[in-house]
Amino acid sequence: MATMLEGRCQTQPRSSPSGREASLWSSGFGMKLEAVTPFLGKYRPFVGRCCQTCTPKSWESLFHRSITDLGFCNVILVKEENTRFRGWLVRRLCYFLWSLEQHIPPCQDVPQKIMESTGVQNLLSGRVPGGTGEGQVPDLVKKEVQRILGHIQAPPRPFLVRLFSWALLRFLNCLFLNVQLHKGQMKMVQKAAQAGLPLVLLSTHKTLLDGILLPFMLLSQGLGVLRVAWDSRACSPALRALLRKLGGLFLPPEASLSLDSSEGLLARAVVQAVIEQLLVSGQPLLIFLEEPPGALGPRLSALGQAWVGFVVQAVQVGIVPDALLVPVAVTYDLVPDAPCDIDHASAPLGLWTGALAVLRSLWSRWGCSHRICSRVHLAQPFSLQEYIVSARSCWGGRQTLEQLLQPIVLGQCTAVPDTEKEQEWTPITGPLLALKEEDQLLVRRLSCHVLTSVGSSAVMSTAIMATLLLFKHQKGVFLSQLLGEFSWLTEEILLRGFDVGFSGQLRSLLQHSLSLLRAHVALLRIRQGDLLVVPQPGPGLTHLAQLSAELLPVFLSEAVGACAVRGLLAGRVPPQGPWELQGILLLSQNELYRQILLLMHLLPQDLLLLKTPGSRPACDTGRQRLSRKLLWKPSGDFTDSDSDDFGEADGRYFRLSQQSHCPDFFLFLCRLLSPLLKAFAQAAAFLRQGQLPDTELGYTEQLFQFLQATAQEEGIFECADPKLAISAVWTFRDLGVLQQTPSPAGPRLHLSPTFASLDNQEKLEQFIRQFICS
């Protein structure tokens, strides 16, 4: 089994920024510790299987039980053995020799094939609306096609790809301690590449480095040059030119024009022809399904869905018989230089800016042994054609959030509809609008399906540490106690079928994670050489909350259930009473089920994408229905009562119990959703003083400033996040609290007449606060 910290941390000298920090580390970690038991190979689950309900044939193929035992490899660790040569000189030039040996397929005559494609020819000959006319193929239009094609892509330059790979390998080894990849997951992808069908990788997007790291990884594993669909807004013209020569793809701006625009029709036809040519040639394609890092907005990327739409259309018209989709996720224990505000996110990255960022990263890591770790998660490839057939058969009706929840919030209704919530925050761009409505829904469901499947990617050590400090020990914890709780939470993650992105000695793991969080925690030397670890009050808690969000996929179902129980107990136990330890109150299953549905409707769809596969099939991301059979199986948190109707679902009652090994586990589960719910509750309180009407961006800025001011007064900095502010504004808009009206300056938000009264505003706030654990 692979060791992420054990091997390299012990072989390199440790260099601390100050002697005081070094003395604290030595005094706190002087005790003798043994390796953590769950890190043995037999306890680590193999994650990444595709959905057996949606794609049963794919679930059976490309997988064999033996691949789960292949272990891990460090993809940036290149030695003499990775080249064909041996000797002392090879050991010093192994990076350079390795880059020369990488296989790069020769470039084909792409422009001519694009011009001869069916879609472009139909448009040029006038056989489709908006064409140039029957029999007319003017040279001007041909030049326009070549111009659009030049904006989309350029033939990859083998020399430049090899040179860039050599430089990137050196940079990654300076920035990362290691980049771990499960050999079994890579084996599945390699077998899929040999099946003769094109590979399309659908990935999360934690940092801009993902678009460079993933192509490097696939090239090092012998899968050729990966074509990456980049966002034009994130790159300057000079950087776009470089990325095209490295295999990058860019959507031309004309493709987003209206459906009746001749320029838009031509641009979309050229892009479609490019995708078809890539799929036919068998070149792997990478599409990011999430918005770029730091962007304030919906989680699902409109640009990513547009690229997926082109792939779906190529398969449906029969250009290729099928395509194999590979869900991908890259996790970091600390995301390198992620922009945290909208100004940095909207500014395009240039060549000089990128070079300065690289130099700054190298300078910050120079002489420091605390480099970051990464884990690349490759899920089992599945058939797009098989998914299309099965997905169309399970679509049902949908209702808006206003229809589902507003009557219940206002006390006008008590019945909770168990149906899908219609909540589409991602705007539909021109390329996606060109598809049929059912194909648009298919692309959105497919994107949600893929992101759900990678929700079980590895949990990093910093996420575990941030969760413990934020939700259990915000006032501080002794290091000796933290060692045991880190081990406990790791076991809880593994026992739920999720994997972690680390292994090794517990002592080294805590030292590594705390050193990466040293800007947000304080270490105080206490009695007998122990250390007191205290989270820094202030904005650092917001950073810890963002890191702890990685654990939501693991505990989300249980957190929703715990908050639902909190909602029932809120009206039965005095506010100052120990309601969390009550064991005398009976909780009806029907009441609990109703509370869970209410909370599920309230939570944003972007968050519910993380619903764990264990709670219901991943294919059910559209319906969002809960299975009572799965929900009410016996667990350590609930005990069945002695009701006479024990065997009947409607007559079953539960009592809240305590876990012996973690008495406050129920509170811990409740607090996982507290940053989001507290932000929503403060947004409801802000309705009394917000300045409306205002633009959506302007009102979001108002709310964010209010969250910051409240954080300074009450110390709840985990809610002072601009992403939570915009999520609250959009949820209130869907709920009918805020209404949008057109104006010459753009859409403006105003308070709806229903929630103009203080009484209804208080009802909304109380409805949200019932789920919050203080």
Side-chain angles (χ1 to χ4, degrees):
M1 130 177 215
T3 300
M4 296 187 65
L5 298 174
E6 202 171 6
R8 296 179 66 168
C9 277
Q10 294 178 356
T11 58
Q12 296 181 359
R14 185 169 62 218
S15 173
S16 299
S18 66
R20 180 175 178 271
E21 182 182 356
S23 118
L24 288 177
W25 284 122
S26 60
S27 62
F29 290 99
M31 60 193 73
K32 184 177 180 181
L33 297 171
E34 296 181 357
V36 181
T37 302
F39 296 154
L40 299 177
K42 60 182 179 181
Y43 291 104
R44 298 191 67 165
F46 182 81
V47 298
R49 300 294 302 275
C50 64
C51 177
Q52 191 175 8
T53 304
C54 284
T55 52
K57 295 181 181 178
S58 300
W59 190 84
E60 295 175 355
S61 63
L62 305 176
F63 177 81
H64 191 272
R65 186 67 60 183
S66 61
I67 69 175
T68 62
D69 302 325
L70 293 180
F72 295 84
C73 67
N74 183 6
V75 296
I76 63 172
L77 183 61
V78 175
K79 298 181 178 179
E80 176 187 4
E81 292 76 13
N82 300 106
T83 68
R84 295 178 298 168
F85 309 99
R86 297 294 181 267
W88 68 270
L89 185 59
V90 175
R91 288 191 289 272
R92 287 156 178 79
L93 299 176
C94 57
Y95 288 3
F96 178 73
L97 295 175
W98 172 88
S99 63
L100 292 179
E101 294 180 355
Q102 301 308 305
H103 173 68
I104 300 176
C107 301
Q108 302 175 351
D109 189 11
V110 175
Q112 185 62 28
K113 293 183 178 180
I114 298 299
M115 188 66 68
E116 296 173 354
S117 65
T118 304
V120 174
Q121 286 298 316
N122 288 341
L123 194 64
L124 294 178
S125 61
R127 288 192 289 271
V128 295
T132 60
E134 184 68 30
Q136 300 178 4
V137 188
D139 293 338
L140 185 61
V141 179
K142 287 185 177 182
K143 291 181 180 179
E144 182 67 12
V145 172
Q146 293 174 354
R147 184 192 68 80
I148 296 174
L149 182 60
H151 183 95
I152 298 173
Q153 68 171 7
R157 305 294 177 85
F159 172 76
L160 190 60
V161 171
R162 291 189 174 94
L163 179 63
F164 187 79
S165 299
W166 168 77
L168 183 62
L169 184 58
R170 301 194 67 89
F171 169 70
L172 293 177
N173 275 277
C174 293
L175 181 63
F176 290 98
L177 190 63
N178 50 51
V179 178
Q180 291 291 318
L181 171 67
H182 197 287
K183 297 178 182 178
Q185 293 180 347
M186 192 67 236
K187 188 72 173 180
M188 291 191 298
V189 176
Q190 290 172 340
K191 290 175 63 177
Q194 298 170 2
L197 294 174
L199 288 180
V200 180
L201 284 73
L202 305 177
S203 176
T204 59
H205 204 184
K206 294 292 191 297
T207 172
L208 293 176
L209 190 62
D210 293 347
I212 299 176
L213 178 61
L214 289 173
F216 169 83
M217 182 202 68
L218 288 189
L219 181 65
S220 67
Q221 301 300 314
L223 292 180
V225 178
L226 178 65
R227 311 304 296 270
V228 183
W230 289 92
D231 188 352
S232 302
R233 300 168 300 175
C235 308
S236 67
L239 184 58
R240 287 200 298 266
L242 173 62
L243 292 176
R244 286 192 200 99
K245 296 177 181 178
L246 295 173
L249 301 174
F250 293 91
L251 193 69
E254 297 87 354
S256 299
L257 296 178
S258 60
L259 299 182
D260 56 355
S261 169
S262 59
E263 292 87 353
L265 286 171
L266 182 60
R268 287 189 287 272
V270 175
V271 175
Q272 183 66 46
V274 170
I275 293 298
E276 293 173 358
Q277 178 59 32
L278 286 178
L279 296 178
V280 170
S281 62
Q283 300 180 62
L285 173 65
L286 172 64
I287 299 174
F288 292 109
L289 295 181
E290 293 181 332
E291 284 293 338
L296 297 182
R299 182 186 178 193
L300 286 176
S301 168
L303 179 63
Q305 293 189 48
W307 285 108
V308 173
F310 288 120
V311 175
V312 170
Q313 192 172 2
V315 172
Q316 287 185 327
V317 300
I319 299 298
V320 289
D322 198 359
L324 294 178
L325 306 182
V326 185
V328 181
V330 184
T331 54
Y332 306 88
D333 50 18
L334 191 65
V335 178
D337 298 331
C340 56
D341 57 77
I342 191 63
D343 296 330
H344 288 92
S346 60
L349 180 65
L351 279 177
W352 285 109
T353 308
L356 289 176
V358 170
L359 293 176
R360 187 168 56 250
S361 299
L362 295 177
W363 178 258
S364 64
R365 305 293 171 184
W366 186 263
C368 178
S369 62
H370 304 307
R371 291 174 284 175
I372 60 179
C373 299
S374 177
R375 168 81 177 272
V376 180
H377 174 82
L378 298 176
Q380 184 179 7
F382 65 92
S383 165
L384 174 58
Q385 194 70 266
E386 185 182 11
Y387 177 82
I388 291 175
V389 173
S390 63
R392 294 187 188 277
S393 63
C394 62
W395 291 353
R398 303 192 297 172
Q399 290 183 327
T400 64
L401 184 61
E402 184 175 355
Q403 295 171 332
L404 292 171
L405 215 53
Q406 189 183 104
I408 300 173
V409 171
L410 300 178
Q412 301 170 353
C413 177
T414 58
V416 186
D418 185 4
T419 186
E420 179 188 352
K421 175 175 59 178
E422 183 180 352
Q423 192 175 58
E424 304 295 348
W425 289 353
T426 304
I428 302 178
T429 58
L432 202 58
L433 282 173
L435 300 179
K436 300 177 183 178
E437 186 174 352
E438 61 177 7
D439 290 337
Q440 297 177 21
L441 182 59
L442 173 67
V443 170
R444 290 196 294 267
R445 293 281 175 84
L446 175 61
S447 302
C448 295
H449 182 92
V450 170
L451 289 180
T452 302
S453 66
V454 294
S456 58
S457 56
V459 179
M460 306 303 287
S461 61
T462 48
I464 297 178
M465 182 65 64
T467 302
L468 291 173
L469 294 177
L470 182 66
F471 298 123
K472 287 178 67 66
H473 304 293
Q474 204 167 127
K475 295 183 179 180
V477 58
F478 288 110
L479 185 61
S480 55
Q481 181 182 357
L482 193 58
L483 289 168
E485 295 200 353
F486 188 96
S487 176
W488 159 77
L489 190 52
T490 302
E491 290 181 6
E492 294 290 337
I493 293 171
L494 295 174
L495 289 175
R496 283 162 175 77
F498 290 79
D499 198 7
V500 293
F502 54 86
S503 64
Q505 292 286 335
L506 180 60
R507 166 175 163 267
S508 299
L509 291 172
L510 262 71
Q511 179 178 356
H512 175 75
S513 52
L514 285 176
S515 65
L516 293 179
L517 298 176
R518 60 186 179 274
H520 311 292
V521 298
L523 300 178
L524 306 176
R525 183 184 300 155
I526 311 293
R527 50 179 173 77
Q528 297 179 355
D530 203 352
L531 288 181
L532 181 65
V533 182
V534 183
Q536 295 277 10
L541 294 179
T542 305
H543 182 76
L544 294 181
Q546 293 170 350
L547 286 175
S548 66
E550 291 186 22
L551 261 72
L552 273 178
V554 182
F555 298 101
L556 185 55
S557 295
E558 295 163 281
V560 169
C563 290
V565 173
R566 169 68 179 99
L568 286 180
L569 293 176
R572 304 183 184 183
V573 180
Q576 303 301 325
W579 59 267
E580 65 275 15
L581 301 180
Q582 291 291 329
I584 59 175
L585 295 177
L586 293 180
L587 306 176
S588 167
Q589 175 167 321
N590 286 337
E591 292 178 338
L592 283 171
Y593 187 69
R594 179 180 180 275
Q595 287 293 111
I596 286 178
L597 284 179
L598 289 175
L599 184 55
M600 292 282 287
H601 290 326
L602 177 64
L603 294 176
Q605 193 78 9
D606 283 1
L607 179 66
L608 296 178
L609 294 179
L610 302 175
K611 268 309 221 181
T612 58
S615 61
R616 68 176 178 277
C619 60
D620 202 22
T621 53
R623 292 183 179 273
Q624 294 297 342
R625 295 190 177 184
L626 293 171
S627 168
R628 298 191 182 195
K629 182 178 179 182
L630 291 176
L631 182 62
W632 303 119
K633 59 186 179 181
S635 67
D637 302 313
F638 290 95
T639 57
D640 291 304
S641 69
D642 296 329
S643 171
D644 294 333
D645 297 325
F646 174 79
E648 298 293 333
D650 294 338
R652 179 172 292 186
Y653 289 78
F654 299 90
R655 286 193 182 103
L656 188 64
S657 65
Q658 299 184 51
Q659 289 188 346
S660 58
H661 59 280
C662 185
D664 58 348
F665 188 55
F666 178 80
L667 292 175
F668 171 76
L669 292 174
C670 290
R671 288 167 182 162
L672 289 176
L673 288 174
S674 61
L676 176 69
L677 293 175
K678 287 181 180 179
F680 279 20
Q682 293 182 36
F686 181 67
L687 294 174
R688 306 183 186 95
Q689 53 183 291
Q691 301 298 319
L692 288 172
D694 197 356
T695 62
E696 185 178 279
L697 181 60
Y699 188 72
T700 303
E701 287 288 340
Q702 289 186 49
L703 177 58
F704 179 55
Q705 293 175 5
F706 175 76
L707 294 178
Q708 288 181 312
T710 307
Q712 293 289 344
E713 295 174 1
E714 303 180 7
I716 46 177
F717 288 92
E718 61 268 25
C719 305
D721 190 333
K723 292 185 178 181
L724 295 181
I726 198 168
S727 181
V729 171
W730 286 352
T731 300
F732 283 10
R733 182 190 62 191
D734 295 341
L735 187 56
V737 179
L738 302 173
Q739 293 181 345
Q740 203 170 43
T741 56
S743 70
R748 296 179 70 83
L749 293 176
H750 65 88
L751 199 60
S752 68
T754 304
F755 286 90
S757 66
L758 292 178
D759 183 48
N760 287 343
Q761 292 177 14
E762 291 177 357
K763 288 180 179 178
L764 174 63
E765 184 178 357
Q766 291 303 316
F767 173 79
I768 299 172
R769 288 196 180 278
Q770 69 175 322
F771 302 109
I772 299 176
C773 174
S774 59

